[in-house]
Structures are given as C-alpha cells and as structure tokens.
Amino acid sequence: ISGLAFKVWMFLKRAWDMGVNDPKKLIHCIKVGLALAIVSLFYFMRPLYDGVGGNAMWAVMTVVVVFEQTVGATLYKCLNRVCGTCLAGFLAVGLHWVANRSGESFEPFVVGASVFLLASVATFSRLIPSAKSLFDYGAMIFILTFSFVAVSGYRVDKLFDKAHQRISTIIIGTSLCIIVIMIVCPIWSGQELHSLIVRNMDKLADSLDEPILPIMVSGCVTQYFNHRGVCTNSNEEADKKLQGYKCVLSSKASEESMANFARWEPSHGRFNFRHPWKQYLKIGASMRSCAYRIEALSSCINSEKQAAEFIKKHLSISCLKVSSSSSSTIRELAETVKTMKKSSTIDLLVGEMNTAVQELQNDLKSLSYLLNPSTIPENKKMKTSMEATATVPLMEIIPVVTLASILIEIAVRIEALVGAVKELAKLAD
Amino acid sequence: ISGLAFKVWMFLKRAWDMGVNDPKKLIHCIKVGLALAIVSLFYFMRPLYDGVGGNAMWAVMTVVVVFEQTVGATLYKCLNRVCGTCLAGFLAVGLHWVANRSGESFEPFVVGASVFLLASVATFSRLIPSAKSLFDYGAMIFILTFSFVAVSGYRVDKLFDKAHQRISTIIIGTSLCIIVIMIVCPIWSGQELHSLIVRNMDKLADSLDEPILPIMVSGCVTQYFNHRGVCTNSNEEADKKLQGYKCVLSSKASEESMANFARWEPSHGRFNFRHPWKQYLKIGASMRSCAYRIEALSSCINSEKQAAEFIKKHLSISCLKVSSSSSSTIRELAETVKTMKKSSTIDLLVGEMNTAVQELQNDLKSLSYLLNPSTIPENKKMKTSMEATATVPLMEIIPVVTLASILIEIAVRIEALVGAVKELAKLAD
C-alpha cells in the first residue's frame, strides 16, 4: 500500500510541476470549467431552459466535446460539428419522408439500409488522408446525427422539432465555446507553431555551438576539440542543451497538426487569415534534415576511435569556425522568424559561413601535403616542413575528416534552411 | 466548374485506389455500418425499445463514437466510456443529494461550482502524458456525464432512473461494438505493430542492399560504386525502394499509438495478453537510429564531390561486402521477428558482418600506404607498387572514406538492433 501511496504522491507532484511550468495548461483547464459553468445556466434559468425546449443537454455536450486547447482546433471542431449536423439533419429528414411513403412494413428496411450505407461511406471518407485533415470530426458527427434522426424518426413524432432543437442547441454551444476560447487568454495554433519553429531553431543552434555565457557551456564540436582540455560542461543542463536537436527529430507530427488547425484561425497578432502555414512545414522539414546531420555528427564525436592530436589541432580552428558561424546563422534566422523582420545581416552571416567552409576545405587539402610531403609545392615547403616530420596513418585521420565533411554537409543544409525562411518572408508579405 | 469536377473525379479515383489497395479499410467501413444497423434494432423492435425505456439513442451514440479500426483502440474506448460514466454517475448522484440538502436557493451555486471544479481537474488530468495514454477518453466522458447528470438533476425528477438507463444503454452499445469488432475480421493493434516493425526492417534492408532479382535493383551503395557502369535502376520502383528508410524515420508516432492500444488486447494469434509491446518501441528506436545513418549515407552518396575512381575501386569490394552483409543481417532479423522463432544463423551473419567491417578497416589502413609509399612494409611493396605510382590528393579520398566510416557506424547500430530483438525474444518467452 505504501508503494501505491508513493506512486500517487509522485504522480501528483509531477502534475503540480507541470502546472507550474506550463501555466497555459492551467488556464485551459479553468476555461473548460468556466464554459461548462456558463452553459449550465441553461438549466438553472427557467426562461433559457424553456427557450431550448428542455434540450439544453445538447449544448452541454457540445461544450465538452468541442472545447480544445487552441483556438484553431476549437474552430475546426465547431465548424465541423455545425456543418455535419446540418447536412445529416437535412438528409435524415428527407429519408424519413421517403421511408414514410414506402409503407409501414418496409420502413425499417429502408431506414436500416440507408444507415448502413451512409455510415460506411462516411467512415470511408474519414480514412482518406486529405479528407481526414479537413473533416474527420465532421464525418463522425454526420454519422451520429444521421443515424440518430433517421432511426428515431421511426418512434418520435415531432421529427422536425427535434432536428431544429438539436441544431439550435449545438449552435448555442459552439458560439459559447468560440466566445470563451477567443476572449479568455486565447492560445492560437498559429502562434504556437511559430514559436515551436523558433524554439527548435534555437535548439539546433545550441547543439552546434553555445556562446560562452555565465554558465560556460559550449557546443558539441567545441567539446570535441577541447576533449583533453578543461572540461567545463560536465553538468546536466549543458548536456541537455547539446541533446536539444533530438526534439527537432521528433516534432513532425505536432508541427503538422498545428499547421492543420492554424488554417482555421482568423487574423490574429501579426498573422493574417491566410498566412502561409504550409511553408512552416517546409522549414520544419529543412530543420529536421539539419538535425539528422547533427545526429551523425554527435555519433561521430562520441565514437571510440580517437584521432591523432596533431591532425585535430590542424583542423580545429577551421572546424570551430564553421560550427560557430553556422550556429550564429541559425540563431539569426531564429531571430528573423521571431521578429518577422528582414534581417540585414543574414546574407553576411551566410557568406561568413561559406568562407569558413572554404577555409576548412583548404585545410583538408593541405592535410594531404602533411601526409605526403613530396607533393608540397616549393614555396610552401618551409612553412609545413616542421609538422611534416610526423607521419600519420590514415586511420587516425578518418574521424576528423568525417567530422569535417559532416560539418560541411550541415552548412549546405543551413543554406537550404535560409532559402526556406526567405521564401516564407516572401509569401507572408 | 470543369476544374472542380476534375478535382472531385481525382478525389474519387484516389479513394477507389485506396479501397482496392487496402481492403482492411473497406472491411472497417462495412463493420461500422453493420454495427449501426444492428443497434437500430433497438428502435425497430418494440420489446427492445421499451426495455431501455426509450433511451436507445445512447446506444446508437456509443456505437458511433467508440467504434475504431483496431480491437485495442475499441476496447480502450469501451472500457474508458463505461468506467468514466459509472464514476461520474455515482459522483453526480451524490452531489445531487448534497445540493438538495443545501436548500433551493443554494442548489444552483453548489452544482455550478462543483461542475467548474471537477471539469477543471479532469481536464488537467487529460494533459498529463502518462495519464493521457491511459484514460484520456475516459476523462472526457467523465466530464460529460458528470455535468450532464449533475446539472440536469436540477430539472429532471427521476435522476436515478436516468443514470441507470444511461449506464445500461452504454453497456449495451459497448458490448455490441466489442462483439462486432472481435468477430467480423478483427484487426489487432498488436498484430499491426508487429507487421509494421517487420515491414520497416525489410525497408531498411532494401535501402542498404537489394538482392538481384528479376527487376535487377540494387542498394544505394551498389549504385554508388557502379555509378559509371550500367545503370540498371533508373526506374521509379527501384528509387522508391531506396527511399524506403524514410518511412522508418517518421514512424515513431504510429508505433507508439499502436503499442498503447495493443496492451488492452486479450491474447490473440501468437501474442499473449501481456506481450512485451514496449520492447517493440525500443526496436523501433533502434531502427530509427540506423535510418539516421542511412540518411547520412545517402546524402554522402548524392553529394557532388566525386571521389577518385582508383580509390573507389580499392574500397568497393569491402564496402559492398559490409552493405550486403548488414542488409542480410537485417533481413534475417525481420524473418526472426516475423516467424517469432529463434534464428540459427543470426550469430553467424553478425559475425560475417563484423568480419566485413574488419576487412573494410584493413582496406582503409592500407589506403595510407597508397598515399604515402615510403611507409609500405617491404613485404607488401611489390603488390601495391603499381598502384602507388598515382598520387591522389586527400580531397578525392574524403567522400569514399566518409562513406566507409558511415557504413561501419551502421554495422554498429545493427548490432544494437540485434540485441534489442534478442531481448524481445527473451521477454516474450
């Protein structure tokens, strides 16, 4: 029992921490409670109760099922619910009329067959990906209302009244939800998607290279080249920052659902109604392709094979330059997206990154002279002759060379990312 | 208008193709229709209709909302619905009793405040990840039923009857769903997860290396080394196979939801009730980490930098050996998981793969002799002297060397994957 109590205690503690860390979730909970308390007035106030003919329960139900965390998701569900109900209501009333004409004994068969058929077709439409993102919920409501009205038409007399009341209570419920969700601390899917993208960019930049701030953390590349030096970042927080790119790897699903809901939202903040949300998905894909390379980089850094110190030293300056310049390019990109302003320095930073890549490539080229002194051009001989005395087996070069070529790869992906962000700026104009 | 008609036509055509390619979806649609037609009998047959006191609509509604594609998902929703309804019903009846005692004028406030409070708390529990996977739907039903019964208690007299009827109709609806979903061509989440993992393994193996069959396709590594040779695989299907690993990259979400539903399923096929579904997630993660390396491999292969032909030739045999042996290891693993039998050859194949990796590493080592002939040991001088006449700049070696080290990396990940599969075999025993 004490084990169970401990588990419950831990669960409550985690829940409390979550609430404290993420006040948005708490606000959402309070909003749900508020909306339900308001809709209860339809029971408590006699004129309202009579106004909807005692069908207030549909309004309560609507509030419970359509109230979502973001404005977009709620609007999507509200519109789907209203459209699905109306369409199904009209069809069901039409069917009822036809079934009535077909005679008493045939009626159950006509109704049953049509319920079977329409439910199957509507379920099928829910399985088609392009339709699913638009009206998955609507199709479910369609099946619900249709079978409801069509079947109960067999026993209930005032079918028109019933359909009319159901539709009007649903409209009351959805309007209430829309009012509450848009007035009380609204959380917009679009805004969330926007900040997710910015946050992920910052995480990518952190994984590559961290500016040396009070806590003295540094990116994974710096860590690699300083391996034998002072280990300033053995603490957990720094490790967490280095692992930040992993969030980018697995954020596809949430980006897609946010973009899907964002298109239902009206103009809010700095976003218009038809903001190019799809371009955010492209930026996300571009970031993921960067993150795959960072994953390769980190596995290369953590591999057991050690490179020769002297080669590491030879390449360290240019490698660090590439990683820091690509990191600051991403950081500037994140700033651009965040402020939604054209950056004056982005082209400069990309140029700097490309210069750094060029330098790294030159350093790689000069490595071959180190390995094979006979090919050194005369004028360079003096400079490198001192280092060339050491002959290094290829196996000790491979890790550094692989690291360098992955870094160059990353720089290429970042250029693609810059292109995607520029495209977004153009589309949003 | 013709554009719209064309769009609709294309949509219908796509839907038709989907139905033909995936008969499971069609069967699901028919099952939904069937379940709804059966539940309609509660309206059409007088004794049944009277039996549930005219509340048959709850049974219809239950069928519409809980019927899902897989047995696991349906069971999850059914259990959640029944538990949520019962718990909320008891609490609401208790509340009603308390509110009744507090006097006519206080009653709305007591009821309203408790609805607000419980709805907020239940909504909060839906946001906690560990709770979400267990009773997200149940919490929603709890809120729904509670606000329903508590609030309508203010107007409806026979509260006990109402709660009792609601619960019994929900039990009728859920039982019907469970019977239909388990008897008519059941689709099991566990089985689906199992085949998804097997399918993804095959895709990984295909991306690495394709056995030369009638269609004459070959893996990306083969393609790279035969680049200047006969291009046998320019057709679309082969390209699709090479891109197969991309499915593995993005299958995390579906694996998790399937594993989540699978734990609700009773023993089915070769799976027991408490089959180690979580281990499948570990295997999935292990496969994704392989896929990240294959992504790096493919970007390395598609990069513009060309390697020196002569270096390529030097490494091609051992690279191809590594890729083909790792591919056949994955294929054997897929077979093991598929048949759920211990493989007699897997250790042999892993050994073969490791030998191939060792050979590749030796070849890499010998590369340094090629580059720097002065270091060749006397006994090997004869063999390589012919080739050593060509001096190759390092820049032309880097692409091949990077490719080789990524291949070695992949072999390491595959060993981890083998370990995960063995762990599964042990747990499932």
Side-chain angles (χ1 to χ4, degrees):
Chain A
I1 289 174
S2 74
L4 189 76
F6 180 73
K7 260 191 177 170
V8 170
W9 172 245
M10 285 307 292
F11 179 80
L12 288 177
K13 199 160 167 286
R14 265 216 313 280
W16 178 258
D17 288 348
M18 200 187 79
V20 171
N21 292 333
D22 201 345
K24 270 186 192 167
K25 290 187 176 170
L26 271 184
I27 292 172
H28 169 63
C29 298
I30 293 168
K31 276 155 81 178
V32 173
L34 187 69
L36 272 176
I38 294 175
V39 86
S40 306
L41 291 180
F42 279 88
Y43 274 96
F44 298 140
M45 297 170 91
R46 171 59 70 178
L48 283 178
Y49 186 74
D50 291 340
V52 294
N55 273 298
M57 64 167 212
W58 291 114
V60 174
M61 186 177 256
T62 302
V63 171
V64 174
V65 296
V66 305
F67 211 95
E68 294 280 329
Q69 263 184 289
T70 61
V71 178
T74 308
L75 280 176
Y76 155 78
K77 278 197 151 181
C78 287
L79 285 174
N80 265 278
R81 194 173 173 94
V82 171
C83 294
T85 306
C86 290
L87 187 64
F90 282 120
L91 269 178
V93 169
L95 174 81
H96 183 65
W97 185 79
V98 171
N100 247 342
R101 300 260 156 145
S102 63
E104 183 83 19
S105 57
F106 275 117
E107 197 177 334
F109 295 102
V110 173
V111 173
S114 60
V115 165
F116 174 83
L117 201 74
L118 273 170
S120 299
V121 170
T123 306
F124 188 74
S125 81
R126 292 179 69 188
L127 300 174
I128 302 166
S130 60
K132 193 182 163 82
S133 71
L134 261 179
F135 55 81
D136 179 52
Y137 184 68
M140 198 185 84
I141 292 297
F142 174 85
I143 303 174
L144 186 66
T145 309
F146 182 79
S147 26
F148 235 51
V149 179
V151 173
S152 65
Y154 189 66
R155 292 273 168 217
V156 179
D157 299 326
K158 294 177 184 167
L159 193 64
F160 260 111
D161 280 1
K162 208 178 161 64
H164 170 246
Q165 275 166 5
R166 183 169 148 84
I167 288 175
S168 57
T169 42
I170 282 179
I171 288 175
I172 291 172
T174 49
S175 323
L176 179 71
C177 282
I178 292 175
I179 291 169
V180 171
I181 199 117
M182 284 177 73
I183 287 181
V184 188
C185 305
I187 301 168
W188 304 91
S189 279
Q191 178 66 51
E192 293 286 296
L193 175 61
H194 188 85
S195 19
L196 177 71
I197 292 282
V198 171
R199 213 159 50 232
N200 276 351
M201 272 186 193
D202 278 333
K203 277 181 185 165
L204 272 189
D206 283 350
S207 297
L208 272 173
D209 195 18
E210 177 74 16
I212 295 170
L213 280 174
I215 30 167
M216 290 286 282
V217 229
S218 50
C220 57
V221 181
T222 324
Q223 205 176 9
Y224 178 71
F225 285 109
N226 290 337
H227 200 60
R228 315 269 165 174
V230 193
C231 200
T232 51
N233 44 354
S234 58
N235 54 1
E236 244 177 65
E237 202 186 340
D239 238 32
K240 218 170 138 194
K241 283 217 160 180
L242 287 187
Q243 302 285 316
Y245 70 91
K246 291 202 172 158
C247 296
V248 184
L249 288 177
S250 56
S251 67
K252 194 185 178 195
S254 51
E255 278 168 22
E256 273 173 3
S257 83
M258 282 179 194
N260 193 17
F261 291 137
R263 59 179 169 168
W264 297 89
E265 290 176 348
S267 163
H268 62 277
R270 290 163 302 171
F271 310 106
N272 293 324
F273 172 51
R274 294 177 77 86
H275 196 72
W277 299 115
K278 282 207 170 159
Q279 186 62 25
Y280 282 90
L281 295 183
K282 278 184 196 155
I283 293 177
S286 195
M287 275 159 61
R288 252 188 306 289
S289 109
C290 270
Y292 293 146
R293 269 70 195 185
I294 297 180
E295 164 89 14
L297 191 74
S298 98
S299 84
C300 170
I301 284 169
N302 296 324
S303 82
E304 290 149 31
K305 281 169 284 171
Q306 272 308 313
E309 273 310 304
F310 132 77
I311 301 284
K312 259 171 119 171
K313 216 166 140 195
H314 180 80
L315 289 177
S316 81
I317 293 173
S318 48
C319 276
L320 288 177
K321 221 183 223 167
V322 172
S323 79
S324 78
S325 68
S326 48
S327 162
S328 48
T329 308
I330 300 182
R331 236 179 272 281
E332 177 65 26
L333 265 191
E335 196 57 32
T336 316
V337 175
K338 198 174 172 186
T339 57
M340 294 181 82
K341 275 185 191 138
K342 265 188 188 136
S343 160
S344 52
T345 54
I346 190 74
D347 288 326
L348 211 75
L349 282 167
V350 171
E352 219 168 71
M353 185 176 75
N354 284 339
T355 319
V357 167
Q358 204 53 52
E359 263 172 45
L360 178 57
Q361 263 165 344
N362 288 340
D363 277 358
L364 282 174
K365 265 178 206 152
S366 72
L367 251 192
S368 61
Y369 303 136
L370 286 184
L371 295 173
N372 203 350
S374 60
T375 56
I376 299 176
E378 276 309 305
N379 52 345
K380 284 200 182 167
K381 206 156 196 168
M382 222 112 76
K383 216 171 104 198
T384 47
S385 60
M386 202 176 59
E387 290 164 354
T389 47
T391 324
V392 192
L394 193 67
M395 284 311 277
E396 296 203 357
I397 307 174
I398 292 175
V400 195
V401 165
T402 310
L403 182 120
S405 59
I406 295 174
L407 269 178
I408 294 171
E409 249 327 305
I410 290 175
V412 173
R413 304 285 148 173
I414 291 175
E415 272 206 77
L417 181 61
V418 172
V421 171
K422 278 188 180 163
E423 178 78 20
L424 173 67
K426 218 166 69 187
L427 287 172
D429 252 356
Chain B
I1 290 175
S2 77
L4 188 76
F6 180 72
K7 261 191 176 172
V8 170
W9 171 245
M10 285 307 291
F11 179 80
L12 288 178
K13 198 160 168 284
R14 265 216 313 281
W16 177 259
D17 286 349
M18 200 186 78
V20 170
N21 292 334
D22 201 346
K24 270 184 191 168
K25 290 188 175 168
L26 271 186
I27 292 172
H28 169 64
C29 298
I30 292 168
K31 275 156 81 178
V32 173
L34 187 69
L36 272 176
I38 294 175
V39 88
S40 306
L41 291 180
F42 278 87
Y43 274 95
F44 297 141
M45 296 169 92
R46 174 56 73 176
L48 284 178
Y49 186 74
D50 292 340
V52 295
N55 274 297
M57 64 165 213
W58 292 113
V60 173
M61 185 176 258
T62 302
V63 170
V64 175
V65 295
V66 306
F67 211 96
E68 292 281 329
Q69 262 186 291
T70 61
V71 177
T74 308
L75 279 177
Y76 156 78
K77 279 197 150 181
C78 286
L79 284 174
N80 265 279
R81 194 174 174 92
V82 171
C83 293
T85 306
C86 290
L87 188 65
F90 282 120
L91 268 179
V93 169
L95 174 81
H96 182 64
W97 185 79
V98 171
N100 247 344
R101 298 260 156 146
S102 63
E104 183 85 18
S105 57
F106 275 118
E107 197 177 334
F109 296 102
V110 173
V111 172
S114 60
V115 164
F116 174 83
L117 200 75
L118 273 170
S120 298
V121 170
T123 306
F124 187 75
S125 82
R126 291 178 71 188
L127 299 174
I128 303 167
S130 60
K132 193 183 162 81
S133 71
L134 262 178
F135 54 80
D136 179 52
Y137 184 67
M140 196 184 86
I141 291 298
F142 175 85
I143 304 175
L144 186 66
T145 309
F146 183 79
S147 27
F148 235 49
V149 179
V151 174
S152 66
Y154 189 67
R155 293 273 168 217
V156 179
D157 299 325
K158 294 177 184 166
L159 193 64
F160 259 112
D161 280 3
K162 208 178 159 65
H164 170 245
Q165 275 166 6
R166 183 169 147 84
I167 289 175
S168 58
T169 43
I170 282 179
I171 289 175
I172 291 171
T174 49
S175 324
L176 179 72
C177 282
I178 292 175
I179 291 169
V180 171
I181 199 117
M182 285 177 72
I183 287 181
V184 187
C185 307
I187 301 169
W188 304 90
S189 278
Q191 178 66 51
E192 294 287 297
L193 175 62
H194 188 85
S195 11
L196 177 70
I197 292 282
V198 171
R199 213 160 51 231
N200 277 351
M201 275 187 191
D202 278 334
K203 277 180 185 164
L204 272 189
D206 284 351
S207 297
L208 272 173
D209 195 17
E210 177 73 17
I212 294 169
L213 283 173
I215 30 166
M216 291 284 284
V217 230
S218 50
C220 57
V221 181
T222 324
Q223 204 177 9
Y224 177 71
F225 286 108
N226 290 338
H227 199 60
R228 315 268 164 172
V230 193
C231 199
T232 51
N233 45 354
S234 57
N235 54 0
E236 245 177 64
E237 201 186 341
D239 238 30
K240 217 170 138 192
K241 283 218 162 180
L242 288 188
Q243 302 285 316
Y245 70 90
K246 290 202 171 156
C247 295
V248 184
L249 288 178
S250 56
S251 67
K252 192 183 177 196
S254 52
E255 279 168 21
E256 274 173 2
S257 84
M258 280 179 195
N260 193 18
F261 291 136
R263 59 180 167 167
W264 297 89
E265 290 175 347
S267 164
H268 62 276
R270 289 162 303 170
F271 309 106
N272 294 323
F273 171 52
R274 294 177 77 85
H275 196 73
W277 299 117
K278 284 208 168 159
Q279 186 63 25
Y280 282 89
L281 295 183
K282 281 185 193 156
I283 293 176
S286 194
M287 275 159 60
R288 252 187 306 289
S289 107
C290 270
Y292 292 147
R293 270 68 195 184
I294 297 180
E295 165 87 15
L297 190 74
S298 99
S299 83
C300 168
I301 284 170
N302 296 325
S303 81
E304 288 149 32
K305 282 168 284 172
Q306 271 307 312
E309 274 309 305
F310 129 80
I311 302 283
K312 259 170 121 172
K313 214 164 140 196
H314 181 81
L315 289 176
S316 80
I317 294 173
S318 48
C319 275
L320 288 177
K321 222 183 221 167
V322 172
S323 80
S324 78
S325 68
S326 47
S327 162
S328 49
T329 309
I330 300 182
R331 236 178 272 281
E332 177 66 26
L333 265 191
E335 195 59 32
T336 317
V337 175
K338 198 175 173 185
T339 56
M340 295 179 82
K341 275 183 191 142
K342 268 191 184 130
S343 161
S344 52
T345 54
I346 189 75
D347 289 325
L348 211 75
L349 282 168
V350 171
E352 219 168 73
M353 186 175 74
N354 285 337
T355 319
V357 167
Q358 204 52 53
E359 263 173 47
L360 178 57
Q361 263 165 345
N362 288 340
D363 277 0
L364 282 174
K365 265 178 205 152
S366 73
L367 250 192
S368 62
Y369 304 136
L370 286 185
L371 293 173
N372 202 351
S374 60
T375 56
I376 300 175
E378 277 309 307
N379 54 343
K380 284 199 181 167
K381 207 156 196 168
M382 221 112 75
K383 217 173 103 199
T384 46
S385 60
M386 201 177 61
E387 290 165 352
T389 46
T391 325
V392 193
L394 193 68
M395 284 309 278
E396 297 204 355
I397 309 173
I398 292 175
V400 195
V401 166
T402 310
L403 182 119
S405 58
I406 296 174
L407 269 178
I408 295 172
E409 203 44 77
I410 290 176
V412 174
R413 305 284 149 174
I414 291 175
E415 271 206 76
L417 181 60
V418 172
V421 172
K422 278 187 180 163
E423 179 77 20
L424 173 67
K426 218 166 69 188
L427 287 172
D429 253 356

